[in-house]
Structure formats: structure tokens, C-alpha cells
Amino acid sequence: MTIGFKLTEQNYRYLFDNASDAMWVQDMDGNIVDANMACEKLTGFTREELLCKNVREFVAGEFLEMAREVRRRLLSGENIVQPYEQRLFKKDGTTVIMKMATSLVIIDGETKGFQHVARDVTEEKRMQENMRFYVQQITRAQEDERKRIARELHDESSPPLLLLIQRLDAIASSQKPKFAQRLKDELEDIRTQAVEALEGLRRCAQDLRPRILDDLGLVAALEWMAENLVKDYGIDTKVEVTGVEKDLPDESQLLLFRIAQEALSNIRRHANASKAWIKMEFHDDKLFLIVKDNGRGFEIPQRIGDFASVGKLGLAGMQERVRLFGGQLEIQSESGQGTTVTVEVPI
Ligand SMILES: Nc1ncnc2c1ncn2[C@@H]1O[C@H](COP(=O)(O)OP(=O)(O)O)[C@@H](O)[C@H]1O
Ligand SMILES: [Mg+2]
């Protein structure tokens, strides 16, 4: 490729001044030596004011520490992830959250200072945080509601059914009035129906909020789910726990349980698998929950969140919930090679 012309210093100046991202240059002591117009907007100071300032006036506490670390790494040639997140104080005292990239200013082979490009992401972050809060509240409300319905099914709706079955049993076993065979068959039928209804209710209550989770904890609940998969669907499911098992807060247990529940329901409904594995790996400061199958696999969209827009909320919901806990979700899947859902959460 041939370049038809060479940009002049003036052209570059224009680009610098008018860029929509804030840019500034500082010397080795942190004194600002140049700043563009977007920088005025970002900080609330005019360019003239900025040129008399030191960057330390804008950053404080842990963020000053971070600035020092970036500086240290750049000078020693170590790797840093760019852009990184940083905060600074505006003229009016409010805080701006920025996505920022920093590099060395090298002139004639000598390091003279640092140059920064920064984008204000305060609004975006705030929206994200609000969104997270919202998701958290909804999730909580949903879980409370599930718990309430499960309890109601268990405590209010099941006992009368149980009583009905017992009464039917009593009639069937009392030989005194000699029932016609037809009536006996009819009674037996009614009993079978009542038992089925009761089992349905119990299953429904268990799915809503398994008591085993509250009573015996996560691993027991995972084993219980695995057993159900074997029993009801013929999928050979194994549970494995490695590392030192730790007591997890209720919310984390519930999170991991719901993820495993959704992943297993996907295996049941979509995977056509003969085998599944649930693995919990405990580490010192984090844990992994891995749910794997040997089924048909599927094509993962670029963003899991995209599933949500077509009404598929399972995987997208999983991802949101994991993020709420500061964790990460990873899905691997390949046609004919099965699917692996891996969740990492800090503990
Ligand atoms: N274990 C799996 N095996 C095969 N396909 C899967 C598996 N898990 C998810 N999928 C595919 O990913 C899609 C999205 O899953 P999900 O978000 O849980 O939505 P839903 O289960 O409601 O369809 C499913 O419709 C299915 O096509
Ligand atoms: Mg699903």
C-alpha cells in the first residue's frame, strides 16, 4: 500500500485536540504538559488550569496506588492489560470512572513521560450497577416466592391428598362390606391417581425449592439431582467433589444449585446424552462447578446474552447470576462432542 501524503504536525494537533476521548501527556513527575478538549470535559478544568496541575491532584487512595503500579510496569517493560479502569476526581469533587490506556512518551530514545487516552464510562458503569442490583432483587424475590410456594405445596396441599390415600387404603383393606370386584378396581384406580397427584405435587415442590438443599447442603442436593436424572431419564450421571469442601453461604449454594439445575435440564431437554458429570472443585479462594454431557452439542452464539433476545433465558440467566457473584461462566460445546458448562466463583 502506498500512502499518498504525509500528515503534518498540524493535522496531528487537530486530531489530538478534537478527539472524543480525553488525552493528556504528563512528565515523569506527573505534571500535565498537554491535554485536549475532551480532557476539559472529563475533568471540568480548562486546558490552562490543567497545564498547571499534577495528576496526583486527580487521583486518590487505592487509585493512586494503581497509577503507580501502571507506571512501574510500563517502565520495567512488564505487561499490563489495556485499557484498564481508573477513577479520578472532577473539579466539582465528583468521581469519574474511566477506561484508560497509558503508554510511555519516548523522545530520542529517552523516556520523557506518559500519555493517556481515557473514556468516561461513569454512566455506563452506573447503569450496569443498577442493572445488577435490579437482577439481584428480582432473583431474590423469585427465590422467596419459590420457597413460599414450595412450602405451601408441601404443608398445605399435600396433607389432604395423603389423607385421601390413607382413607382409600382403609376402605380397600376392610373386608367387612364385600365390595363388588368392579368397585374394588375403581377404588384402586382412584388410589393410583391420588398417589400420582401427590407425587406430582412433591416433585413440583422439590423443583421449586428442594428441602435437601436447605437441610443437607449443596453437594447432597447435586447428588439428589443426579439420582433423579438416572432414575427418571436413564442418563448415567456422576457427581464428583475435589479439594477441601467448604461451607458456602446460602446465596452461593443457591446460585450453584440453580446453575446445575438449569444445566441438567438442558441436558435432559436438548443434549440427547447418555452420560453426564457434575463436578465441584474447591480451591482456596474459588470454586468451579462443571456440568458436562456427552450429547449432541450445539453452536454457541458470540454472546450468550443473545439467546435471551429469542426467549431462551437459561444460559443467559446463568451468566447474569454468575456475574452478580463476581464469577465467570464458560460454555464449551461442539457438534457431536457434548457440552461443558464451567462456572467459577470466588469464595
Ligand atoms: N447441554 C446441551 N446440549 C445441547 N444443546 C444445548 C445444551 N444446553 C443448551 N443447548 C442449546 O442452547 C439453547 C439455549 O439454552 P437455554 O438458554 O437454556 O434455553 P432453553 O433451554 O430455554 O432453550 C438451547 O435451546 C439448546 O439449543
Ligand atoms: Mg434451558
Short mmCIF file of all heavy atoms in Angstrom, two decimals, residues 262-263 266-267 269-271 293 296-298 307 311-316 333 339, ligand 1:
data_model
loop_
_atom_site.label_atom_id
_atom_site.label_comp_id
_atom_site.label_asym_id
_atom_site.label_seq_id
_atom_site.Cartn_x
_atom_site.Cartn_y
_atom_site.Cartn_z
N GLU A 262 -30.33 -25.85 35.94
CA GLU A 262 -30.59 -25.42 34.56
C GLU A 262 -29.74 -26.22 33.58
O GLU A 262 -30.22 -26.66 32.53
CB GLU A 262 -30.31 -23.91 34.43
CG GLU A 262 -30.40 -23.36 33.02
CD GLU A 262 -31.76 -23.56 32.34
OE1 GLU A 262 -32.78 -23.61 33.06
OE2 GLU A 262 -31.80 -23.70 31.11
N ALA A 263 -28.47 -26.42 33.93
CA ALA A 263 -27.59 -27.17 33.03
C ALA A 263 -28.10 -28.60 32.85
O ALA A 263 -28.10 -29.13 31.73
CB ALA A 263 -26.16 -27.18 33.57
N ASN A 266 -31.12 -28.63 30.67
CA ASN A 266 -30.70 -28.53 29.26
C ASN A 266 -30.23 -29.88 28.73
O ASN A 266 -30.51 -30.23 27.59
CB ASN A 266 -29.59 -27.49 29.10
CG ASN A 266 -30.14 -26.07 29.06
OD1 ASN A 266 -31.33 -25.87 28.94
ND2 ASN A 266 -29.25 -25.11 29.18
N ILE A 267 -29.50 -30.60 29.56
CA ILE A 267 -29.00 -31.91 29.13
C ILE A 267 -30.20 -32.83 28.84
O ILE A 267 -30.25 -33.51 27.82
CB ILE A 267 -28.08 -32.53 30.21
CG1 ILE A 267 -26.79 -31.70 30.31
CG2 ILE A 267 -27.77 -33.99 29.89
CD1 ILE A 267 -25.84 -32.15 31.39
N ARG A 269 -33.26 -31.94 28.10
CA ARG A 269 -34.14 -31.49 27.03
C ARG A 269 -33.46 -31.40 25.67
O ARG A 269 -34.10 -31.59 24.64
CB ARG A 269 -34.76 -30.14 27.39
CG ARG A 269 -35.80 -30.29 28.51
CD ARG A 269 -36.23 -28.94 29.07
NE ARG A 269 -36.53 -27.99 28.01
CZ ARG A 269 -36.14 -26.71 28.04
NH1 ARG A 269 -35.44 -26.25 29.05
NH2 ARG A 269 -36.46 -25.90 27.05
N HIS A 270 -32.17 -31.04 25.66
CA HIS A 270 -31.54 -30.75 24.36
C HIS A 270 -30.42 -31.69 23.96
O HIS A 270 -30.09 -31.78 22.79
CB HIS A 270 -30.95 -29.34 24.34
CG HIS A 270 -31.89 -28.26 24.80
ND1 HIS A 270 -33.07 -27.99 24.19
CD2 HIS A 270 -31.80 -27.38 25.84
CE1 HIS A 270 -33.68 -26.99 24.81
NE2 HIS A 270 -32.93 -26.61 25.81
N ALA A 271 -29.77 -32.32 24.93
CA ALA A 271 -28.46 -32.91 24.61
C ALA A 271 -28.53 -34.29 23.98
O ALA A 271 -27.65 -34.68 23.22
CB ALA A 271 -27.59 -32.97 25.87
N ASP A 293 -21.79 -33.04 29.50
CA ASP A 293 -22.53 -34.19 28.94
C ASP A 293 -21.83 -34.69 27.69
O ASP A 293 -20.95 -34.04 27.16
CB ASP A 293 -23.99 -33.78 28.64
CG ASP A 293 -24.09 -32.77 27.51
OD1 ASP A 293 -23.80 -33.14 26.35
OD2 ASP A 293 -24.47 -31.61 27.78
N ARG A 296 -25.22 -34.15 21.94
CA ARG A 296 -25.03 -33.68 20.56
C ARG A 296 -24.29 -32.35 20.43
O ARG A 296 -23.79 -32.03 19.36
CB ARG A 296 -26.38 -33.58 19.86
CG ARG A 296 -27.32 -32.53 20.42
CD ARG A 296 -28.38 -32.17 19.37
NE ARG A 296 -29.31 -33.28 19.18
CZ ARG A 296 -30.53 -33.33 19.71
NH1 ARG A 296 -30.95 -32.35 20.48
NH2 ARG A 296 -31.32 -34.34 19.48
N GLY A 297 -24.24 -31.59 21.51
CA GLY A 297 -23.56 -30.29 21.42
C GLY A 297 -24.37 -29.29 20.64
O GLY A 297 -25.40 -29.62 20.06
N PHE A 298 -23.93 -28.05 20.62
CA PHE A 298 -24.65 -27.02 19.87
C PHE A 298 -23.71 -25.87 19.55
O PHE A 298 -22.61 -25.79 20.08
CB PHE A 298 -25.86 -26.51 20.66
CG PHE A 298 -25.51 -25.74 21.91
CD1 PHE A 298 -25.67 -24.35 21.96
CD2 PHE A 298 -25.03 -26.38 23.04
CE1 PHE A 298 -25.36 -23.63 23.10
CE2 PHE A 298 -24.71 -25.67 24.19
CZ PHE A 298 -24.88 -24.30 24.22
N PHE A 307 -28.99 -15.21 23.33
CA PHE A 307 -30.05 -16.20 23.48
C PHE A 307 -31.30 -15.57 24.08
O PHE A 307 -32.42 -15.94 23.75
CB PHE A 307 -29.59 -17.34 24.40
CG PHE A 307 -28.96 -18.50 23.68
CD1 PHE A 307 -27.81 -19.10 24.18
CD2 PHE A 307 -29.53 -19.03 22.52
CE1 PHE A 307 -27.23 -20.18 23.54
CE2 PHE A 307 -28.96 -20.11 21.87
CZ PHE A 307 -27.81 -20.69 22.38
N GLY A 311 -35.84 -15.44 23.53
CA GLY A 311 -36.68 -16.07 24.55
C GLY A 311 -36.04 -17.26 25.25
O GLY A 311 -36.69 -17.96 26.00
N LYS A 312 -34.74 -17.49 24.99
CA LYS A 312 -34.06 -18.58 25.71
C LYS A 312 -33.30 -17.97 26.87
O LYS A 312 -32.29 -17.30 26.68
CB LYS A 312 -33.12 -19.31 24.77
CG LYS A 312 -33.88 -20.00 23.67
CD LYS A 312 -32.97 -20.72 22.70
CE LYS A 312 -33.84 -21.47 21.71
NZ LYS A 312 -33.05 -22.07 20.65
N LEU A 313 -33.81 -18.21 28.05
CA LEU A 313 -33.28 -17.47 29.19
C LEU A 313 -32.38 -18.29 30.10
O LEU A 313 -31.78 -17.77 31.03
CB LEU A 313 -34.44 -16.91 30.02
CG LEU A 313 -35.33 -15.91 29.25
CD1 LEU A 313 -36.53 -15.53 30.07
CD2 LEU A 313 -34.54 -14.68 28.85
N GLY A 314 -32.27 -19.58 29.80
CA GLY A 314 -31.50 -20.46 30.69
C GLY A 314 -30.04 -20.06 30.82
O GLY A 314 -29.58 -19.66 31.89
N LEU A 315 -29.31 -20.13 29.71
CA LEU A 315 -27.88 -19.85 29.76
C LEU A 315 -27.61 -18.37 30.04
O LEU A 315 -26.71 -18.03 30.81
CB LEU A 315 -27.22 -20.26 28.43
CG LEU A 315 -27.27 -21.76 28.11
CD1 LEU A 315 -26.70 -22.04 26.73
CD2 LEU A 315 -26.50 -22.56 29.16
N ALA A 316 -28.44 -17.50 29.44
CA ALA A 316 -28.25 -16.06 29.67
C ALA A 316 -28.47 -15.72 31.15
O ALA A 316 -27.72 -14.95 31.74
CB ALA A 316 -29.21 -15.26 28.79
N SER A 333 -18.82 -26.22 23.64
CA SER A 333 -19.70 -27.20 23.02
C SER A 333 -19.27 -27.41 21.59
O SER A 333 -18.81 -26.49 20.92
CB SER A 333 -21.14 -26.69 23.06
OG SER A 333 -22.01 -27.75 22.74
N THR A 339 -21.28 -31.05 25.67
CA THR A 339 -21.26 -29.67 26.14
C THR A 339 -20.69 -29.64 27.56
O THR A 339 -20.94 -30.53 28.36
CB THR A 339 -22.71 -29.11 26.17
OG1 THR A 339 -23.24 -29.19 24.85
CG2 THR A 339 -22.76 -27.68 26.66
N1 LIG B 1 -26.29 -29.45 27.01
C1 LIG B 1 -26.77 -29.02 25.83
N2 LIG B 1 -26.73 -29.81 24.75
C2 LIG B 1 -27.20 -29.39 23.55
N3 LIG B 1 -27.74 -28.18 23.34
C3 LIG B 1 -27.82 -27.34 24.39
C4 LIG B 1 -27.35 -27.69 25.68
N4 LIG B 1 -27.53 -26.66 26.52
C5 LIG B 1 -28.09 -25.70 25.77
N5 LIG B 1 -28.28 -26.08 24.49
C6 LIG B 1 -28.80 -25.26 23.37
O1 LIG B 1 -28.73 -23.90 23.77
C7 LIG B 1 -30.01 -23.30 23.70
C8 LIG B 1 -30.18 -22.27 24.80
O2 LIG B 1 -30.34 -22.88 26.07
P1 LIG B 1 -31.13 -22.12 27.19
O3 LIG B 1 -30.62 -20.72 27.25
O4 LIG B 1 -31.07 -22.93 28.43
O5 LIG B 1 -32.61 -22.03 26.61
P2 LIG B 1 -33.76 -23.15 26.54
O6 LIG B 1 -33.29 -24.32 27.36
O7 LIG B 1 -34.94 -22.47 27.13
O8 LIG B 1 -33.92 -23.46 25.08
C9 LIG B 1 -30.99 -24.45 23.75
O9 LIG B 1 -32.17 -24.12 23.10
C10 LIG B 1 -30.24 -25.56 23.05
O10 LIG B 1 -30.38 -25.45 21.67
#
